[in-house]
Amino acid sequence: MKTNGKWNKYLIAGLVMTIIAVGIALLGAFWTPYSTTAMSAAEKFCAPSLSHLFGTDNFGRDIFSRVMRGVGTTILISGLVVLISGIMGILIGALTGYFGGLLDEAVMRLTDAVNGFPSILLALVIISILGSGRQNVIISLGIVFVPSFIRIVRSEFIRLRDADYIARARMMGVGRGRILFVHILPNIFSTFWVSVMIGFNNAILAESGMSYLGIGVQPPDASLGNMLSDAQGYLALAPWYALAPGLTIVWIVLGFSLFSEGIRRLQG
């Protein structure tokens, strides 16, 4: 927790914020104060109170309960997106970085083509083909995020493939698979981990944006993005409706940003 003898404030603050967000997500998966889908015409647009900490929405649903469930949805989708794109990035980046040649050239040109489009725009194109829904959001964002992980892993494998300890491993007859995934891969995790944290933040913003546009998580399932979309028509009447999911997104992104910065500073 210390960097050069000083407390790593970024890491501590980010870790605390991240633990709170993940804790809310885990709790919301099993329990919420109220049903996230039950409607009540008599309780529409109730202001924040002890009964409803974040107030109620235009259907009389408890916003705090829906935020709890929405945090879990956002973190789950973002985690799966990073998991899929990270694994694909490691496999493809390791092969292209270590072997080079025509495979490397072809993959790099393909990643250049993908990176030539704004990531959200490309995700929208993919999801327009696949259709809206949670599963298709994961697939589309997973595809979009792969090139960034490929480039990071590839550059690290290029840097390490001619290192002395790798040359000695080759001379001893160590197989290529073992060199790739036992000798080189563990040594790139310090760099790769920070990229994963940044990718997670980008996935959160992308998922929230797509749900906001109505092509991500579909009602009545709770998502921070679709809650913001629903709230935009009631900003004057019920400002707490938009504030709750909006500030929650800021909290999650800021927490993971501080956590990743803390890790980077810890590594020196």
Side-chain angles (χ1 to χ4, degrees), residues 41-63:
E43 294 188 317
K44 290 171 58 175
F45 298 123
C46 289
S49 64
L50 292 178
S51 299
H52 300 283
L53 294 180
F54 291 171
T56 60
D57 63 12
N58 54 314
F59 292 109
R61 298 173 297 191
D62 181 62
I63 295 175

Side-chain angles (χ1 to χ4, degrees), residues 20-141:
I20 291 173
V22 173
I24 290 173
L26 292 175
L27 180 61
F30 301 100
W31 174 86
T32 55
Y34 297 89
S35 169
T36 58
T37 57
M39 303 179 187
S40 174
E43 294 188 317
K44 290 171 58 175
F45 298 123
C46 289
S49 64
L50 292 178
S51 299
H52 300 283
L53 294 180
F54 291 171
T56 60
D57 63 12
N58 54 314
F59 292 109
R61 298 173 297 191
D62 181 62
I63 295 175
F64 181 66
S65 298
R66 290 181 60 78
V67 165
M68 289 179 67
R69 190 64 56 82
V71 169
T73 299
T74 297
I75 290 180
L76 176 62
I77 291 177
S78 302
L80 290 174
V81 166
V82 172
L83 179 65
I84 292 171
S85 56
I87 291 175
M88 293 180 65
I90 287 175
L91 293 175
I92 300 173
L95 294 175
T96 56
Y98 185 79
F99 294 105
L102 291 177
L103 175 63
D104 181 38
E105 186 68 21
V107 170
M108 286 303 98
R109 297 293 75 78
L110 181 60
T111 58
D112 287 341
V114 172
N115 288 331
F117 295 90
S119 57
I120 290 295
L121 178 60
L122 184 58
L124 291 176
V125 171
I126 297 173
I127 207 166
S128 66
I129 298 172
L130 300 177
S132 60
R134 183 179 307 195
Q135 180 178 345
N136 292 337
V137 169
I138 295 171
I139 294 172
S140 61
L141 291 179

Side-chain angles (χ1 to χ4, degrees), residues 184-268:
I184 298 180
L185 185 60
N187 291 311
I188 76 167
F189 275 135
S190 59
T191 300
F192 188 71
W193 177 249
V194 175
S195 302
V196 166
M197 300 299 292
I198 295 172
F200 190 85
N201 268 353
N202 291 336
I204 289 173
L205 294 173
E207 184 278 328
S208 298
M210 295 177 77
S211 294
Y212 177 84
L213 294 173
I215 56 176
V217 177
Q218 298 297 301
D221 290 342
S223 165
L224 299 177
N226 64 28
M227 288 179 69
L228 272 177
S229 179
D230 291 341
Q232 67 180 347
Y234 308 102
L235 291 176
L237 179 62
W240 57 85
Y241 191 2
L243 280 175
L247 291 178
T248 302
I249 293 173
V250 172
W251 177 279
I252 298 172
V253 172
L254 180 59
F256 276 96
S257 296
L258 291 173
F259 188 41
S260 62
E261 176 64 16
I263 291 176
R264 188 189 67 80
R265 289 175 178 247
L266 194 64
Q267 294 170 351

